Amino acid sequence: MEHLIRSVRTEDWQKVRELRLLALRDPAAPVAFLETYESAVAKPDAYWQERTEGAAVPSRGMRQFIAEGRDGAWAGSVTVLIEEPGTQGALGTERTTVRQAHLVGAFVRAEYRGTGLTDALFAAAVDWARAPGAEGAGVDRVRLFVHEDNPRAEAFYRRFGFVPSGEAVPVPGDPEAREREMVLERAGG
């Protein structure tokens, strides 16, 4: 693989913004992300700086991983949110019952799909989420949500090892649509 998988650094905020805006212009964006290009592009630099800083410092309960080419260009990203028991879940519709990792914002540029890059990003995210102590978050349960109309993403998640939990929540802003929870449990967890 020609890409380095690493977590973002605080000084990466402009590239975080650039990749997010590109993701929001992808044809799958309406069923993959809970944000529009128009709302994201209007956000000030301070928003992107704060967002990147939060994802660069693992003690904040969040980590963003990127795939960086030899030329410094970013090919993809995934973010891990750590959810504590009793807190509101990332979709804002449910309360979590266990400490867990929630993968969000997964995106790989079209020209890198099917190359193993998404697998590498997810492996880094899951490894960090499961690693104990200062090395990671130390969780056993990793989850994500997939829109019912996003079969390509669901097929990847299943291939990676995620299974449907049976839970589904309404899509924020579209109560007729559903996001299905998928989980990846540690063996014996």
Side-chain angles (χ1 to χ4, degrees):
M1 182 176 300
E2 307 247 341
H3 288 83
L4 169 69
I5 307 298
R6 67 168 177 86
S7 59
V8 296
R9 300 179 197 107
T10 56
E11 64 269 16
D12 290 333
W13 70 270
Q14 289 172 308
K15 284 188 172 184
V16 166
R17 180 182 188 272
E18 177 186 314
L19 191 65
R20 179 64 173 181
L21 294 177
L22 180 66
L24 292 171
R25 292 207 125 167
D26 188 271
V31 295
F33 305 111
L34 298 176
E35 179 178 36
T36 65
Y37 175 85
E38 293 74 22
S39 68
V41 77
K43 292 180 177 165
D45 290 350
Y47 167 84
W48 296 102
Q49 292 164 352
E50 218 172 275
R51 176 182 173 136
T52 305
E53 182 180 342
V57 181
S59 63
R60 301 237 174 118
M62 174 178 169
R63 200 85 190 258
Q64 182 176 358
F65 293 89
I66 57 99
E68 183 176 41
R70 292 181 185 183
D71 61 357
W74 288 9
S77 173
V78 65
T79 299
V80 184
L81 307 175
I82 302 303
E83 298 173 327
E84 299 295 340
T87 61
Q88 189 171 350
L91 291 180
T93 57
E94 83 291 353
R95 291 249 176 236
T96 61
T97 58
V98 297
R99 188 167 191 272
Q100 63 192 354
H102 187 156
L103 303 187
V104 299
F107 173 73
V108 171
R109 291 176 184 261
E111 63 268 28
Y112 295 105
R113 294 177 189 154
T115 66
L117 202 56
T118 310
D119 291 272
L121 283 165
F122 268 62
V126 169
D127 287 350
W128 177 79
R130 289 183 169 167
E135 297 299 314
V139 301
D140 290 328
R141 187 175 196 264
V142 180
R143 75 172 180 166
L144 52 78
F145 283 89
V146 62
H147 193 285
E148 63 191 353
D149 293 332
N150 197 350
R152 186 187 78 200
E154 185 172 343
F156 168 77
Y157 302 147
R158 286 178 183 273
R159 188 177 58 71
F160 194 84
F162 284 86
V163 296
S165 71
E167 297 294 320
V169 297
V171 174
D174 185 3
E176 299 301 314
R178 292 279 184 256
E179 290 267 350
R180 294 190 290 252
E181 182 187 52
M182 297 183 78
V183 297
L184 181 67
E185 303 273 359
R186 188 188 303 262

